[in-house]
Amino acid sequence: MNDILNEIAFLSGASGSFIYSRDKGVFHACLPEFFTEIMAEEAAGNIARMIRLAAMKGLDTQTFSISYDRFDILTVPVNETSLLLIICETGSNTSFVVATVSTLISNIDKLLTESPVQLTELQVTEDSDIFESSPGEMDSKTADALDDIRKA
C-alpha cells in the first residue's frame, strides 16, 4: 500500500495521499511535511460527512475537491467505507491526478480487502518548494483554512 501512496506522491502536482475510513480514521498515509495527521483527520472527517450528506440526497459522488490557498485536496472513493485523499499543490492539473489515480483504485481496494487493516507509521514526504513553512509550523493562512474545515 505504501508503494502505491508513494507513487501518487510523485505525480505532477501531488504532494501526498492517505486512506481514510470512518471506522479507522487515517491510515496508510504518505503525507507532505506541512500536512499533519491532525489536519488529515479533520479534513477527511469533514469531507466524508459532506459525501454522506450528498448520498442522503441521492447524489453519487465520484470525486470531490476542495481548494485552499496553499493546497487542494482531491477525494476519490475506494469502496463503501474508505476514501483516498490526495494533497495537491494549488493550481495543479487535478484532472490529470484524478485520471491517473483512478487507474489505481481497484488495486487499492484489493489491498484493503485482502489483508486485515493495520495502522502503518505515517510517512512524510519532503516538502515542496511552494510551501514556505518549516516542518511542524503552520502559517496563519493554513490555520484559517483548518478553522474553515472545522466549522463546516
Side-chain angles (χ1 to χ4, degrees):
M1 180 64 73
N2 288 335
D3 290 342
I4 292 175
L5 297 180
N6 284 329
E7 184 178 328
I8 292 169
F10 283 107
L11 291 175
S12 177
S15 301
S17 60
F18 60 95
I19 305 292
Y20 174 83
S21 165
R22 79 184 116 180
D23 299 332
K24 297 167 189 67
V26 171
F27 62 102
H28 295 300
C30 178
L31 301 174
E33 289 179 0
F34 72 92
F35 202 85
T36 66
E37 183 178 0
I38 293 169
M39 290 172 72
E41 284 285 348
E42 290 182 1
N46 288 323
I47 291 169
R49 276 193 293 279
M50 286 186 259
I51 291 172
R52 281 195 306 272
L53 286 172
M56 289 170 51
K57 295 293 183 182
L59 301 173
D60 183 24
T61 306
Q62 298 300 313
T63 60
F64 191 86
S65 173
I66 296 180
S67 296
Y68 296 96
D69 58 335
R70 294 185 53 197
F71 57 89
D72 296 336
I73 299 177
L74 305 176
T75 306
V76 181
V78 176
N79 56 37
E80 293 295 319
T81 61
S82 301
L83 300 170
L84 170 66
L85 290 94
I86 306 140
I87 300 101
C88 295
E89 299 167 359
T90 300
S92 61
N93 186 350
T94 56
S95 297
F96 167 74
V97 174
V98 168
T100 305
V101 167
S102 294
T103 64
L104 302 172
I105 292 298
S106 62
N107 292 341
I108 293 170
D109 187 31
K110 184 177 178 183
L111 287 170
L112 290 175
T113 56
E114 279 183 354
S115 61
V117 174
Q118 295 180 4
L119 295 178
T120 61
E121 183 177 321
L122 294 178
Q123 294 182 348
V124 178
T125 59
E126 193 170 310
D127 211 357
S128 176
D129 291 338
I130 67 164
F131 303 109
E132 298 170 6
S133 300
S134 299
E137 289 183 0
M138 186 182 315
D139 68 9
S140 63
K141 289 181 181 179
T142 304
D144 291 343
L146 191 54
D147 284 341
D148 291 342
I149 291 171
R150 288 185 187 122
K151 292 175 188 174

